[in-house]
Amino acid sequence: MNAREIVPGIYRIGAQDFDRRLFDELIPLPDGTSYNAYLVKGSEKTVLIDTVDPTKSDVLLSQMNGVERLDYLIVQHVEQDHSGSVPAVLDRYPNATLITTPKAKPMLVDHLHINPERIVTVENGETLSLGDRTLEFIHAPWVHWPETMLTYLREEKILFTCDFLGSHLATTELYGREKERVYEAAKRYYAEIMMPFRAMIKGHLEKLARYEIEIIAPSHGPLYDDPAFILDAYRHWVLDPPENLVVLPYVSMHGSTQVMVDHLVSALADRGVRTEPFNMTVTDIGKLAITLVDAATVVFGAPTMLVGPHPSVVYAAYLTNALRPKLRHAAVIGSYGWAGKTMEQVMGLMSSLKVEWFNPLMVKGLPDETALEALDRLAEAIAKRHQSLS
Ligand code: FEO
């Protein structure tokens, strides 16, 4: 894709990666992704904000063919999908100075072997004059690495946010006009990347309230010329209480756990509780993560394999614990063949979350009427707790 002018002298460059389907060898990318870099020309200095994934270096360099002099390269985040082309840019522009946070400097040396003599660090609130334009650096650690920062262009009121507020979405649009699609992609991105750092994100949102922002320019996905769209979404995901929603990751080996899951889903629906079951053999974990953003309760449907939980449910529990959603309650249900410690092991995997555990229900073999009645009682208990969510 060609460079796109945001306002005169400021361009979104970088690459749309329509074909990429996995990030970190873990996160599904149903809509691809983009690696946005930004070229800002001042009356005296020219700056590049971030680069692109190393697989797309040639795209970035070709977009900069007409740029004779680059004074500064700003690195807001060291993860390689944005910094991977830093060496190529520094090679092309041997007089350019790399600007980043004090925490990022050693990381750039470690991860990319950048010559430290080319790096200048900036403190929170420090500014850089480009002549008729001024950049302000805003330290914003843990979105989602410890060294991250944002950059605010004062005159045009553009906020460059690196991963923060972004979305894994490849598109030919500069701004995200398909609102539902952008919202889903941004929520998926938040769930998988930002949610574990919710407390830090809350602080960053409060800090940004002091800035007048007309355009938000993230490093993934389309830009926002209606900043309230994404800022309000983040405030909802981060600050609002969880919803009357149960997320139910499960797997069933011979149908017994499936009977329990089906019964519980139906019993919850009868009591006005929305449930999203995820059969882990066919689940897009991004959708599971999205659902965890809003859910008040998680129920794991875990058959016993050998003497412990089925590995697919172990994966779901481990992921849930790592993503640290706003969950308030949890339960384990499932079937076992002769014995096992499924319940204890699943609960042990959720040690980072402060949740109230409902009584587990592990059934030997095929659930009978007594087991189904116990599931009704579990549904009743969940519905009752959900009545007081606030
Ligand atoms: Fe888009 Fe944390 O890298």
Side-chain angles (χ1 to χ4, degrees):
M1 292 248 315
N2 296 328
R4 297 287 298 273
E5 192 174 62
I6 303 170
V7 297
I10 301 177
Y11 304 87
R12 194 281 313 271
I13 55 178
Q16 304 296 314
D17 197 341
F18 288 96
D19 296 336
R20 189 160 180 179
R21 284 293 170 270
L22 207 56
F23 195 85
D24 287 345
E25 303 306 326
L26 170 71
I27 297 167
L29 303 178
D31 297 308
T33 191
S34 69
Y35 321 107
N36 302 335
Y38 296 94
L39 188 67
V40 181
K41 294 181 175 176
S43 57
E44 295 174 16
K45 304 287 185 187
T46 297
V47 167
L48 177 66
I49 300 177
D50 289 329
T51 70
V52 298
D53 191 87
T55 58
K56 301 290 183 185
S57 293
D58 56 336
V59 176
L60 180 72
L61 292 176
S62 71
Q63 289 166 333
M64 296 183 70
N65 275 342
V67 180
E68 306 250 316
R69 198 190 79 204
L70 182 71
D71 297 286
Y72 302 107
L73 168 58
I74 294 169
V75 173
Q76 302 186 111
H77 177 26
V78 178
E79 193 167 13
Q80 288 86 342
D81 52 321
H82 310 293
S83 70
S85 299
V86 164
V89 171
L90 292 180
D91 282 350
R92 163 85 75 89
Y93 299 98
N95 295 317
T97 298
L98 191 159
I99 292 179
T100 195
T101 63
K103 273 202 179 127
K105 181 176 179 178
M107 294 172 76
L108 284 163
V109 175
D110 290 340
H111 288 279
L112 295 160
H113 296 178
I114 304 297
N115 176 359
E117 291 181 2
R118 294 197 65 176
I119 303 175
V120 169
T121 61
V122 286
E123 297 300 329
N124 181 47
E126 205 169 322
T127 59
L128 176 70
S129 174
L130 309 182
D132 57 350
R133 287 180 160 138
T134 313
L135 295 174
E136 177 183 339
F137 302 108
I138 305 168
H139 285 196
W142 295 110
V143 294
H144 57 126
W145 281 20
E147 85 299 359
T148 41
M149 73 170 178
L150 321 179
T151 305
Y152 181 63
L153 179 56
R154 285 180 173 173
E155 288 75 12
E156 279 81 9
K157 302 178 174 57
I158 300 175
L159 183 70
F160 302 94
T161 58
C162 73
D163 281 341
F164 189 39
L165 310 173
S167 60
H168 280 311
L169 177 58
T171 171
T172 58
E173 289 191 316
L174 183 61
Y175 298 103
R177 298 294 180 227
E178 296 176 273
K179 292 298 184 195
E180 282 186 23
R181 190 170 180 227
V182 175
Y183 186 92
E184 179 85 359
K187 189 174 184 180
R188 173 183 285 258
Y189 191 74
Y190 164 80
E192 293 164 335
I193 301 289
M194 301 292 163
M195 188 158 64
F197 308 104
R198 218 165 47 250
M200 300 298 291
I201 301 291
K202 177 174 179 281
H204 299 325
L205 290 171
E206 288 166 0
K207 190 191 282 189
L208 289 184
R210 300 197 290 270
Y211 288 81
E212 201 177 330
I213 301 168
E214 291 189 355
I215 294 173
I216 288 175
S219 297
H220 293 290
L223 287 68
Y224 308 93
D225 55 2
D226 51 349
F229 169 77
I230 190 65
L231 290 171
D232 287 349
Y234 260 67
R235 286 187 194 108
H236 172 56
W237 301 332
V238 170
L239 301 173
D240 287 350
E243 298 174 5
N244 179 18
L245 170 63
V246 172
V247 56
L248 206 169
Y250 77 98
V251 70
S252 185
M253 294 159 67
H254 299 292
S256 297
T257 300
Q258 185 74 56
V259 169
M260 298 178 74
V261 167
D262 291 346
H263 189 90
L264 181 62
V265 169
S266 184
L268 287 165
D270 289 346
R271 290 162 177 79
V273 178
R274 184 161 70 92
T275 304
E276 297 273 354
F278 290 95
N279 183 332
M280 292 303 294
T281 62
V282 294
T283 286
D284 164 357
I285 61 163
K287 282 200 181 295
L288 172 61
I290 288 173
T291 309
L292 283 168
V293 172
D294 300 318
T297 297
V298 61
V299 178
F300 295 101
T304 296
M305 182 186 158
L306 302 176
V307 292
H310 190 284
S312 295
V313 179
V314 169
Y315 181 31
Y318 182 87
L319 189 68
T320 300
N321 188 61
L323 295 180
R324 292 171 172 261
K326 294 185 284 193
L327 290 167
R328 301 261 179 94
H329 314 285
V332 186
I333 63 171
S335 169
Y336 62 94
W338 50 91
K341 293 194 177 298
T342 292
M343 171 190 79
E344 295 89 336
Q345 290 186 21
V346 171
M347 291 172 78
L349 288 165
M350 293 273 286
S351 59
S352 296
L353 298 184
K354 291 192 183 99
V355 290
E356 175 199 16
W357 286 92
F358 293 107
N359 287 333
L361 183 60
M362 298 304 298
V363 173
K364 190 170 187 179
L366 194 61
D368 58 12
E369 272 308 311
T370 304
L372 298 182
E373 285 167 14
L375 286 168
D376 288 335
R377 287 195 294 278
L378 175 59
E380 192 69 33
I382 292 171
K384 195 168 169 201
R385 290 290 195 287
H386 282 203
Q387 281 170 9
S388 56
L389 291 171
S390 60

